[in-house]
Amino acid sequence: MAPVDPHSYTDGAHPVVSRAALAFYLDFAASTIHASALLTLSAPHSGDLLLDTRALTVHSASTDADTPEPIPFSLAAAPDPVLGTALTLTLPPDTVSFRLTFSTSPAASALQWLAPPQTASAQPFVFSQCQSIHARSIFPCHDTPAARITFSLLLNVPEQLSAVASARHVARRDPLPSDHRGACDDEQWCAPGRIVEEFQMEQSVPPYLFAFAAGGIGSRDLGPRTRVYAEGGDKVLDEAAREFAGVEEMVKVGEGLFGPYEWERFDLLVLPPSFPYGGMENPRMVFLTPTVIKGDAAGAQVVAHELAHSWTGNLITNKTNEDFWLNEGFTTYAERRIVEVVQGEERAALNMGIGWRGLNRMMERFKDNMEFTKLKPKMAGIDPDDVYSEVPYEKGFQFLWRIEREIGRPAFDEFLKKYIATFKFQSIDTETFLEFLKTNVPGIENQIDLNLWVEGTGIPPDAMEPDSATYKKICSLAAEFKSGKLPSEDEVANWSGQEWELYLENLPTDVEASQVTALDERYKLSESRDYEVKVAFLQLAIPTGCKCYFNEVEKCLKQVGRMKYLRPLYSSLAKCSSEEKMLAQRIFSEAQEFYHPIARSVAEAILSKHS
């Protein structure tokens, strides 16, 4: 076997799945998908072929013929805790395509099923989150970014619901018996009260960008190629439309910086609050947490990041999760370039300042395992979700910014456009990028220690803290907090959430409870609608023993499932006294069914580590 990815059973000596025709019957009552897949290989193959699965029940495998013949298959006896279960098919000679029927588990790691009482629309809801290695819990596949696929998707749902996907919407129509290819029987597929939503994705994407959602979803147009969707009715849609009104302009700015937008549409779906990330860059249909709707258009920065992925991450993809910085470092750089044009240099500098603080915080988090402070860490046997951090984002950004400072922005812009044009619709590794860099910027290895940046631990000495008047002023005010000086109302009069976030992130950690309460009494940070501000404040307050904030901490952990907030709050509680540990355990026991499976496992790991 020739592994291509430490997080996949894919054999590099065999062809990979290049197209999937999927038919899904969504059984909301059972939290299960009954499905079929017609999988097409990149080349004919005979003999054993391995696919990734996790908690799937595979019912049948057969040839793609008018009279299908069974294909022998087997699932490994015991699942690997990281990789899941290998599905081995023994293909007849020169097989190009084959059919599978299967069902997902109610505990599928990519899926969250919400009952009507858990949704604003009082309708059932389901959504997927396949990054990093969770597509395998929805359908058998080569679940590695090295194996890009095109796909078609039929979603059979109750007729009162609607569906979206990371693909072109073809039609909403009545089910046909010929649709399902064995996903279920004809009577079930074509039952009264069911509807089919049909999608096509003709551009190749890594499996982690396969995405769909179904529920009581409405929409509002934002521009000629942008629309916002949401579950929750007119109020949420109106707020989202105001927050993201400038998205079309952002797309144009991105095209000016990085070349043509290749995905036709840039639509947004605001998910229920249990969504575990800030945003997910699914092509054509970005998924967003409702916490980005802050009422001041600040959420546009999250959108800028997901938009930037349209070039760096979706168009050019990291080959494995060990090269994750190629997705996130480039995208963080591209996001800040978009923000600089749309919102100004000072706003981009604040963004960089928050990132710089986050990068330094990651050095503390990984002080006992500095491997994960490398741009290209070794990750065999490691679940990517367990070590997800700001390192690939912010150290990757710093590396690219270092190259820009060395060769100048005009030259770097030219390099960036050439890089995107050269590798679009490909998945590459770090070594490929470095060779391209050295070829196109001759002598760069003599000016910058490339090996130190990629293979070295920690923060390289030629990384740089951002330099702006606003950033320095906020850091200065934060330094004065230790001596008891709070910022005056004049000094914070024009602050948005981002300024407050930066201020709180730079406060010393060994503060007194009285200082924390004094700050909150003046500025009501614990009540902020901006979760970035609220969580940063609560994270500061928990270690001081300010029990008056425990109710706010509990509300936060029960109302929002975004891991960016769960990690610091559960970690802060778990590191404190037995009372805080017990509080964390109680909150988790009561809230865990609200969390997406990915977030649930992360919270469980934090509490287990500190139990």
Side-chain angles (χ1 to χ4, degrees):
M1 183 175 177
V4 299
D5 184 332
H7 296 115
S8 173
Y9 290 110
T10 303
D11 189 336
H14 296 162
V16 295
V17 173
S18 60
R19 180 157 183 84
L22 304 166
F24 289 0
Y25 180 94
L26 274 56
D27 185 343
F28 283 89
S31 299
T32 299
I33 298 173
H34 304 294
S36 68
L38 172 61
L39 302 180
T40 302
L41 299 174
S42 55
H45 184 63
S46 310
D48 285 353
L49 182 79
L50 271 66
L51 296 175
D52 296 305
T53 76
R54 179 183 289 124
L56 290 177
T57 300
V58 180
H59 304 299
S60 70
S62 61
T63 57
D64 176 29
D66 292 338
T67 307
E69 294 292 330
I71 291 175
F73 70 91
S74 62
L75 286 163
D80 180 276
V82 175
L83 300 181
T85 306
L87 170 63
T88 302
L89 300 156
T90 305
L91 300 179
D94 296 324
T95 296
V96 175
S97 58
F98 54 92
R99 302 178 188 180
L100 302 173
T101 63
F102 52 94
S103 298
T104 62
S105 162
S109 59
L111 299 174
Q112 183 166 22
W113 301 84
L114 299 172
Q118 295 176 288
T119 68
S121 63
Q123 299 278 8
F125 196 95
V126 63
F127 68 89
S128 65
Q129 172 56 41
C130 290
Q131 195 179 47
S132 296
I133 53 172
H134 300 284
R136 65 193 69 184
S137 74
I138 302 179
F139 65 101
C141 58
H142 291 121
D143 195 5
T144 167
R148 301 175 73 98
I149 60 169
T150 60
F151 65 88
S152 63
L153 174 64
L154 302 179
L155 291 175
N156 185 308
V157 300
E159 64 182 357
Q160 73 271 23
L161 306 184
S162 56
V164 298
S166 56
R168 177 174 58 86
H169 187 250
V170 176
R172 177 180 171 91
R173 58 173 176 78
D174 291 333
L176 300 172
S178 58
D179 285 339
H180 61 80
R181 293 187 297 270
C184 56
D185 58 41
D186 290 353
E187 185 178 357
Q188 188 176 18
W189 184 266
C190 298
R194 303 290 295 194
I195 200 79
V196 164
E197 300 265 25
E198 182 176 352
F199 301 90
Q200 285 278 357
M201 188 53 163
E202 291 93 355
Q203 295 151 306
S204 66
V205 294
Y208 73 81
L209 291 177
F210 172 83
F212 71 90
I217 299 171
S219 67
R220 291 272 191 284
D221 282 329
L222 299 175
R225 52 184 165 175
T226 57
R227 180 179 299 141
V228 63
Y229 295 79
E231 188 273 338
D234 289 344
K235 182 176 183 293
V236 175
L237 278 171
D238 290 343
E239 290 177 347
R242 285 193 295 272
E243 191 80 19
F244 307 130
V247 165
E248 179 66 31
E249 180 191 356
M250 279 189 179
V251 177
K252 292 175 181 176
V253 168
E255 289 182 310
L257 290 168
F258 312 121
Y261 181 78
E262 300 271 2
W263 305 97
E264 190 176 343
R265 292 197 61 84
F266 183 73
D267 294 331
L268 312 171
L269 171 65
V270 180
L271 283 160
S274 57
F275 183 57
Y277 292 99
M280 182 62 211
E281 62 271 16
N282 307 310
R284 302 180 68 103
M285 186 60 69
V286 166
F287 283 11
L288 294 169
T289 169
T291 62
V292 302
I293 302 175
K294 304 175 183 181
D296 60 1
Q301 291 204 21
V302 173
V303 175
H305 184 89
E306 306 314 329
L307 170 63
H309 268 303
S310 302
W311 292 272
T312 54
N314 298 3
L315 209 53
I316 306 176
T317 306
N318 51 230
K319 195 169 188 178
T320 75
N321 277 286
E322 293 184 337
D323 306 292
F324 191 46
W325 80 273
L326 287 174
N327 278 20
E328 297 300 350
F330 269 93
T331 297
T332 302
Y333 175 87
E335 166 205 342
R336 288 171 182 160
R337 291 294 302 276
I338 293 171
V339 169
E340 187 178 296
V341 175
V342 175
Q343 297 184 330
E345 291 184 9
E346 284 295 312
R347 185 60 51 189
L350 287 179
N351 189 314
M352 291 162 60
I354 292 169
W356 176 255
R357 182 64 190 156
L359 179 59
N360 280 272
R361 194 170 58 247
M362 291 303 102
M363 299 304 113
E364 174 64 22
R365 175 184 167 189
F366 292 119
K367 64 184 178 182
D368 297 327
N369 196 340
M370 294 296 283
E371 178 71 21
F372 300 116
T373 68
K374 294 179 178 179
L375 277 187
K376 189 177 173 75
K378 293 178 173 61
M379 292 184 63
I382 304 294
D383 188 328
D385 292 335
D386 291 344
V387 293
Y388 178 85
S389 81
E390 293 172 66
V391 172
Y393 294 74
E394 298 299 339
K395 189 173 180 179
F397 163 79
Q398 285 283 341
F399 183 30
L400 299 173
W401 192 31
R402 174 68 184 89
I403 298 169
E404 182 205 285
R405 295 197 305 274
E406 184 65 39
I407 67 176
R409 177 167 285 188
F412 189 71
D413 282 355
E414 184 179 338
F415 167 81
L416 197 54
K417 283 186 175 178
K418 186 175 181 181
Y419 168 71
I420 292 169
T422 300
F423 294 110
K424 68 179 183 179
F425 296 111
Q426 297 179 49
S427 299
I428 68 169
D429 57 19
T430 299
E431 292 70 26
T432 300
F433 166 75
L434 292 175
E435 284 305 310
F436 185 80
L437 174 66
K438 288 185 283 188
T439 299
N440 287 275
V441 188
I444 190 67
E445 67 271 29
N446 300 320
Q447 278 76 47
I448 300 174
D449 189 337
L450 303 180
N451 189 64
L452 176 67
W453 271 97
V454 172
E455 301 288 349
T457 59
I459 302 175
D462 50 345
M464 196 169 93
E465 190 171 5
D467 182 19
S468 85
T470 305
Y471 173 76
K472 288 179 177 177
K473 177 64 175 174
I474 293 171
C475 291
S476 174
L477 289 172
E480 293 174 352
F481 184 81
K482 181 75 172 175
S483 61
K485 184 181 183 299
L486 300 181
S488 70
E489 293 188 8
D490 286 343
E491 287 170 321
V492 305
N494 296 317
W495 283 14
S496 67
Q498 199 163 35
E499 283 86 350
W500 275 114
E501 182 187 357
L502 183 61
Y503 175 77
L504 292 166
E505 293 279 3
N506 279 279
L507 291 180
T509 53
D510 56 340
V511 297
E512 300 293 330
S514 59
Q515 293 175 288
V516 171
T517 54
L519 180 64
D520 193 45
E521 284 170 4
R522 181 177 292 186
Y523 293 113
K524 304 291 187 276
L525 300 177
S526 66
E527 302 169 19
S528 175
R529 186 185 174 191
D530 187 329
Y531 275 89
E532 306 290 338
V533 176
K534 181 196 287 279
V535 171
F537 175 80
L538 294 175
Q539 193 180 357
L540 181 75
I542 290 169
T544 69
C546 287
K547 296 178 184 177
C548 59
Y549 295 114
F550 282 4
N551 283 342
E552 205 59 53
V553 171
E554 182 168 351
K555 279 200 301 184
C556 195
L557 289 171
K558 287 182 173 180
Q559 291 174 351
V560 179
R562 186 177 177 184
M563 290 191 293
K564 183 177 183 180
Y565 308 144
L566 302 189
R567 270 197 184 93
L569 292 181
Y570 275 121
S571 295
S572 296
L573 289 172
K575 291 175 183 175
C576 291
S577 70
S578 58
E579 182 179 357
E580 282 88 350
K581 290 182 195 290
M582 289 174 62
L583 175 65
Q585 292 285 359
R586 178 181 64 77
I587 294 172
F588 178 72
S589 69
E590 295 172 3
Q592 61 176 318
E593 292 306 313
F594 162 73
Y595 298 147
H596 186 281
I598 297 172
R600 191 183 309 138
S601 65
V602 166
E604 280 179 326
I606 291 169
L607 297 178
S608 174
K609 178 180 177 182
H610 296 286
S611 61

